[in-house]
Amino acid sequence: MPKPRGRSAGRRRSVLIIGSEAQPFAKTGGLADVLGALPPALARLGWDATLVLPKYRGVSSGTRTDTFPLTVGAWTRDVGFFEAPLDDGARALLVDCPELYERDAPYGHGNIDYPDNPRRFAVLVRAALEHAARHGAPSVVHAHDWQAGLAPVYLRSLYAAHPVLAGTPSVFTIHNIAYQGLCEADWLPRLDLGWDQLAIDRLEYWGRVSLLKGGINDADMVTTVSRRYAEEIQTPEFGFGFDGIIQRRRADLAGILNGIDVQEWDPEHDHFLPAPFSAADLSGKAAAKAAVLARYGLPTGAATLARPLVGMVSRMVDQKGFDLIAAVADNLPRLDATFVVLGEGEDRYQRLWRTLAAAHPDRIGARIGFDESLAHLIEGGADMFLMPSRFEPCGLNQMYSQRYGTVPVVRAVGGLADTVRDAASSKAVKGRRATGVVFDAYTPEALLGALARALDLFGQPRKWRAMQRAGMQEDFSWHRSAQEYVKIYDRAIKKRLKGA
Ligand code: ADP
Ligand code: GLC
């Protein structure tokens, strides 16, 4: 094997992170929060961290530092690289290719993916690797979700004997196993992949090709975003057909809980809130509550201010429990609570919430769309935050909620189970105070039961305050998670040195 350049002992270790969205450049969900915060957190641990993502429409940051022709299959274009600094010395490289990335949205129109997504994201990966080949191999490549699933595959195929990149280890992180990057097999030659990849132990999945499967199979280490989800995806209930594929990699699988950006989500310094507040002085939270009610055109009188406000900020898809909410929709206006929801997604759920809000203008507010400032305001102003997810790899809003003294009401799955301690059961765990209300069964009864329990606790101010404060004292910062990633990077590097 040729001696890889750039990984010699004593040099600063470097990681090339590849993903499809990141704050502050582009965001549709939690992946963007993670990829915005992880590179600086790694930089703070002494790593040279470079994040590569597409330069989508509307992204104007960065300075062009390189341009070269890139060929993938029979497709050749000049691709540009815009470099933008991230916090703490990390950097982003935005891949400029207007034909592929200058579009209305990152992945598709409505729920329909762009038909050339396999090329769009293969080009992202190849651009990242070719840039590294020109500027020095990283110690490790860290690829995220199906969009970057070909990074480990290319490293083991096209680049296996490359003078610079040969032997580069890779780590693959699954943020959501339900999105599998499926395409027709005739894409293989167009992506520079041989027909040998169309095998059951390679990328083949029920006659098609899965880019997610490629990432899982070929990475040296595989991670996902909570311990619980790492267990769950080995079962048919949560594996979405990939449970067997994951089980084969279980020796190299780790669950690393996401951190949160504690500067961006900080009730003491959040410019989206009308007044700052903290665990020691929660009084500013009432101003946020009044502001949320006003933004939704709900009553702002004493009765509504005293009534618990339940918030939701979410993609409106089955994953997030919207079908369960639909099943209890008639009951919601009868509860002693006000509801505000912010989200976009499937038509039927958007319609349901619009209809509910129109029918109960004094109790239910619905905003369809993506609105970062309103998301912060809801986290600040709501009393409770509802996440009745069918599955939840990690989930970030339940952590944001705790930081804002907003008590999460969640289903015991994935990262929700790992980050919220239930009011009834955690009494038994010494010194670990309750931070929320957790329910198990994915049934309308269990959801209503959890809401009833939360409303009951709200009526007991001492207990409620204790829960709020316990949540606000939790440490969800990135430091610990980034340290765990470093351990995984080291394991991946060692595996390659041993010739695995
Ligand atoms: P997922 O990535 O599955 O959607 P997460 O809980 O990990 O779920 O992350 C969702 C992120 O997207 C959070 O930061 C949340 O505040 C944000 N978000 C979701 N929907 C909206 C919306 N409609 N407007 C603003 N922010 C949103
Ligand atoms: C995915 C998951 C979500 C997770 C996020 C970031 O979008 O659905 O649970 O928090 O990725 O890892």
Side-chain angles (χ1 to χ4, degrees):
M1 192 176 77
K3 191 170 163 21
R5 245 178 36 202
R7 279 191 297 281
S8 48
R11 278 184 71 157
R12 192 167 172 225
R13 289 180 301 172
S14 57
V15 55
L16 181 70
I17 301 169
I18 309 174
S20 57
E21 58 178 87
Q23 287 276 58
F25 308 104
K27 169 164 171 171
T28 69
L31 175 64
D33 301 43
V34 171
L35 291 187
L38 177 60
L42 290 165
R44 289 195 291 277
L45 295 178
W47 281 66
D48 186 341
T50 302
L51 163 71
V52 183
L53 78 164
K55 187 173 182 296
Y56 296 113
R57 171 171 293 161
V59 177
S60 56
S61 27
T63 317
R64 187 185 285 269
T65 52
D66 207 348
T67 304
F68 53 77
L70 184 70
T71 300
V72 178
W75 179 100
T76 302
R77 297 290 183 281
D78 277 338
V79 169
F81 292 82
F82 284 70
E83 191 171 327
L86 301 172
D87 286 347
D88 302 300
R91 64 170 181 162
L93 272 183
L94 297 148
V95 178
D96 185 37
C97 182
E99 175 191 325
L100 298 184
Y101 306 130
E102 277 276 338
R103 302 195 185 167
D104 292 343
Y107 309 123
H109 282 297
N111 290 330
I112 315 283
D113 282 357
Y114 296 125
D116 60 346
N117 273 352
R119 171 174 297 129
R120 295 175 74 229
F121 294 108
V123 166
L124 171 71
V125 167
R126 291 290 291 284
L129 296 178
E130 288 295 331
H131 189 276
R134 285 170 160 75
H135 297 268
S139 315
V140 61
V141 168
H142 187 179
H144 294 261
D145 270 353
W146 71 263
Q147 292 90 344
L150 287 179
V153 178
Y154 285 141
L155 284 171
R156 286 201 188 264
S157 54
L158 271 187
Y159 296 90
H162 188 276
V164 178
L165 294 179
T168 303
S170 66
V171 173
F172 184 66
T173 295
I174 302 163
H175 294 262
N176 195 332
I177 209 158
Y179 298 99
Q180 303 179 336
L182 292 169
C183 60
E184 298 313 317
D186 63 6
W187 268 102
L188 286 172
R190 285 182 279 166
L191 303 179
D192 287 334
L193 297 168
W195 286 105
D196 55 326
Q197 301 284 8
L198 194 64
I200 187 144
D201 58 346
R202 299 297 310 142
L203 275 59
E204 191 268 348
Y205 189 70
W206 296 100
R208 302 174 80 200
V209 160
S210 162
L211 307 189
L212 180 76
K213 186 174 173 184
I216 296 170
N217 279 344
D218 281 357
D220 295 278
M221 295 295 298
V222 178
T223 76
T224 187
V225 288
S226 67
R227 286 214 180 132
R228 176 73 70 106
Y229 195 59
E231 296 298 322
E232 288 172 344
I233 54 178
Q234 299 180 42
T235 68
E237 185 186 354
F238 294 98
F240 280 85
F242 270 52
D243 31 307
I245 298 164
I246 295 291
Q247 279 170 23
R248 281 183 37 213
R249 297 300 321 264
R250 70 190 305 168
D252 303 314
L253 173 70
I256 302 179
L257 191 73
N258 289 328
I260 61 171
D261 186 330
V262 290
Q263 266 155 15
E264 197 193 329
W265 296 91
D266 177 3
E268 289 188 66
H269 304 97
D270 187 329
H271 59 274
F272 295 119
L273 299 186
F277 62 87
S278 64
D281 179 7
L282 278 163
S283 52
K285 198 164 165 60
K289 183 170 180 175
V292 176
L293 294 170
R295 281 276 282 274
Y296 276 89
L298 288 156
T300 50
T304 314
L305 283 175
R307 191 178 295 133
L309 178 63
V310 185
M312 279 191 87
V313 179
S314 181
R315 291 186 290 120
M316 289 184 167
V317 293
D318 281 344
Q319 173 191 345
K320 302 291 180 180
F322 278 88
D323 53 339
L324 202 53
I325 293 174
V328 303
D330 290 344
N331 301 71
L332 299 184
R334 289 192 225 125
L335 298 175
D336 188 21
T338 309
F339 289 83
V340 288
V341 62
L342 165 66
E344 57 187 359
E346 289 184 33
D347 269 350
R348 54 188 169 147
Y349 298 134
Q350 298 188 165
R351 246 181 288 124
L352 170 78
W353 277 99
R354 282 205 179 103
T355 310
L356 276 173
H360 307 280
D362 56 334
R363 284 301 181 99
I364 296 182
R367 186 66 44 87
I368 307 302
F370 197 92
D371 183 338
E372 203 166 339
S373 72
L374 188 54
H376 280 249
L377 192 59
I378 292 173
E379 286 293 7
D383 297 297
M384 309 169 188
F385 197 93
L386 183 59
M387 291 181 82
S389 304
R390 183 183 284 274
F391 64 96
E392 195 60 77
C394 177
L396 299 172
N397 278 311
Q398 81 282 8
M399 294 191 265
Y400 300 151
S401 296
Q402 288 177 58
R403 221 165 133 65
Y404 283 70
T406 302
V407 174
V409 178
V410 306
R411 180 155 177 259
V413 283
L416 299 175
D418 286 354
T419 55
V420 184
R421 288 191 300 277
D422 182 64
S425 50
S426 56
K427 267 187 221 140
V429 191
K430 222 178 155 201
R432 306 279 282 163
R433 287 183 298 147
T435 55
V437 174
V438 183
F439 67 100
D440 281 305
Y442 195 75
T443 61
E445 295 73 32
L447 169 57
L448 285 175
L451 280 172
R453 214 147 56 79
L455 298 180
D456 183 54
L457 284 162
F458 185 81
Q460 304 174 59
R462 274 193 47 218
K463 273 195 188 168
W464 191 258
R465 289 259 176 280
M467 268 207 293
Q468 287 182 297
R469 295 222 161 85
M472 293 178 94
Q473 277 151 14
E474 289 289 296
D475 177 9
F476 292 124
S477 63
W478 263 104
H479 184 67
R480 191 198 46 219
S481 309
Q483 282 177 323
E484 287 189 51
Y485 276 115
V486 165
K487 283 189 201 143
I488 294 293
Y489 296 165
D490 285 340
R491 274 177 72 183
I493 293 166
K494 280 204 190 97
K495 276 181 84 173
R496 278 307 173 102
L497 289 176
K498 279 196 208 139

